[in-house]
Amino acid sequence: MSDLTAERLAAAHQALRSGDRERALEYWHPDVRFQSPGNHPYAGWHDGLDAFMGFIKTWQRLAGGTLRMEQVACLVNPVDGYTIDVNRCTAVRRRTGSDGTSFYEHLQMEGVDLMRWENGRVVEGRGGIFGDGTANFSSFFGPIGPDGRRSDD
């Protein structure tokens, strides 16, 4: 796949986070499968673009507009149709404010996304998180906050 580039990978992530399904379809197959890491209600396989976009929308909702994803580096193998991007993510749980400090309230992690592409679109992907980021990711998405109350806000 000769048109697979770092720029196309970045555009795919932007299209997904835009929430615009038609734009996302330029880069993501409608039957894409993506595995989200962790031990929380949203971990596991998201089958189909609508399910995966629903997960991203939930993440954005929980973060109340604070979700930031920075691509640190990427590897592109256009011959075999694979990309790996190293990324850094931060977010603050909605309604928390900037003074919260727990894993339940503040997300700060680094990880990778491994994606397989066919005909210019992602058909399968897996996320991986480094170190304590996995615990942080699971706590951020978990239904129990630092005060022990259940919440999905």
Side-chain angles (χ1 to χ4, degrees):
M1 180 178 166
S2 60
D3 62 338
L4 184 53
T5 63
E7 293 77 19
R8 185 159 186 83
L9 172 60
H13 282 299
Q14 291 169 356
L16 184 69
R17 290 192 307 268
S18 76
D20 180 341
R21 188 176 193 283
E22 291 305 311
R23 182 175 164 203
L25 279 170
E26 294 179 40
Y27 306 94
W28 300 85
H29 193 278
D31 296 325
V32 66
R33 296 185 75 220
F34 198 95
Q35 186 180 41
S36 176
N39 182 12
H40 55 82
Y42 306 103
W45 285 103
H46 302 277
D47 292 318
L49 182 59
D50 293 331
F52 188 41
M53 288 185 78
F55 166 66
I56 299 300
K57 185 176 181 178
T58 296
W59 192 353
Q60 291 171 331
R61 178 181 57 80
L62 291 174
T66 65
L67 177 60
R68 301 289 175 263
M69 300 177 85
E70 171 191 1
Q71 187 178 60
V72 177
C74 70
L75 299 170
V76 177
N77 178 341
V79 173
D80 296 320
Y82 280 91
T83 57
I84 298 173
D85 64 289
V86 179
N87 50 67
R88 183 176 297 124
C89 298
T90 59
V92 178
R93 187 79 181 223
R94 187 172 83 155
R95 296 190 205 142
T96 297
S98 61
D99 56 349
T101 58
S102 79
F103 269 15
Y104 297 96
E105 300 164 327
H106 281 250
L107 176 65
Q108 185 172 359
M109 65 179 194
E110 292 180 336
V112 296
D113 289 327
L114 168 65
M115 297 189 289
R116 184 170 56 87
W117 298 67
E118 290 179 1
N119 300 317
R121 297 194 287 185
V122 179
V123 294
E124 186 173 274
R126 290 177 170 85
I129 303 172
F130 302 124
D132 286 342
T134 303
N136 187 190
F137 193 60
S138 290
S139 295
F140 186 83
F141 278 101
I144 299 176
D147 61 0
R149 293 185 189 174
R150 293 199 173 271
S151 173
D152 190 30
D153 63 0

